[in-house]
Amino acid sequence: MTERRPLGVNFETWVDRQIREAAERGAFNDLPGAGKPLPGEGEPYEEMWWIKQKLHSEGLSFPLPGTLALRKKAEEARAAAAEARSEDEVRRIIGEINEEIVEGHRKALSGPPLNLMPFDVEEAVRDWRDRHPAREETPGPEPAPPPRRRGPFGLFRRRG
């Protein structure tokens, strides 16, 4: 649209003419997505679709109320504990989320009530053990005794 609408020409007629001339020139040929359905076609109308689209394109998550965010974090912690490499790591992960859950009960978080209790660490460890059976280790050679330590004078010893 490089030209201005001439005086006396109806706006709608002028726009239609611009579109028709552009189509005749082939300006609309080979556009990306040509012949494909529009994204979101057939889905129910979402009032804040543009916010969700922006969050998705930026790789961000939709901000959740405090209690729901803590529940989501607790689920992720349980999953991480199940995939941990050692019992100590399971204890650390569950211990950290338990601290956050206790803190969440102390604070007034936004959202629905926080119906979440701290996890049983020992139960999480038992679940981890069930998923990761102990490997049978073959006893290796006993380690050599530590070298005998000499006094400050090295070779000199007391004789009785």
Side-chain angles (χ1 to χ4, degrees), residues 10 17 28 33 42 52 64 83 129 132-133 136 147:
N10 185 353
R17 189 184 82 210
F28 301 124
K52 290 183 178 181
L64 293 173
E83 298 301 320
R129 284 182 189 149
H132 302 86
E136 291 187 25

Side-chain angles (χ1 to χ4, degrees), residues 11 22 24 41 44 63 91 96-97 102 108 118 124 151-152 160:
F11 181 78
E24 288 172 0
E41 182 69 25
R91 291 178 194 281
E96 288 174 0
I97 195 62
V102 169

Side-chain angles (χ1 to χ4, degrees), residues 72-113:
K72 182 178 179 188
K73 194 170 184 179
E75 289 176 19
E76 291 169 354
R78 289 287 304 243
E83 298 301 320
R85 292 177 289 204
S86 68
E87 288 183 23
D88 290 337
E89 189 175 353
V90 173
R91 291 178 194 281
R92 181 188 57 78
I93 292 169
I94 298 299
E96 288 174 0
I97 195 62
N98 281 347
E99 289 175 11
E100 290 188 41
I101 291 170
V102 169
E103 188 65 25
H105 283 288
R106 278 191 219 140
K107 293 181 178 179
L109 296 177
S110 62

Side-chain angles (χ1 to χ4, degrees), residues 2 4 10 14 17 24-26 39 45 58 67-68 70 81 84 87 91 108 110 118-119 121 137 150 156:
T2 57
R4 297 181 66 84
N10 185 353
W14 179 73
R17 189 184 82 210
E24 288 172 0
R25 285 193 311 270
Y45 177 72
E58 296 292 328
T67 55
L68 296 180
L70 185 55
E87 288 183 23
R91 291 178 194 281
S110 62
F119 298 116
V121 177
E137 297 181 19
R150 292 185 175 182
F156 300 106

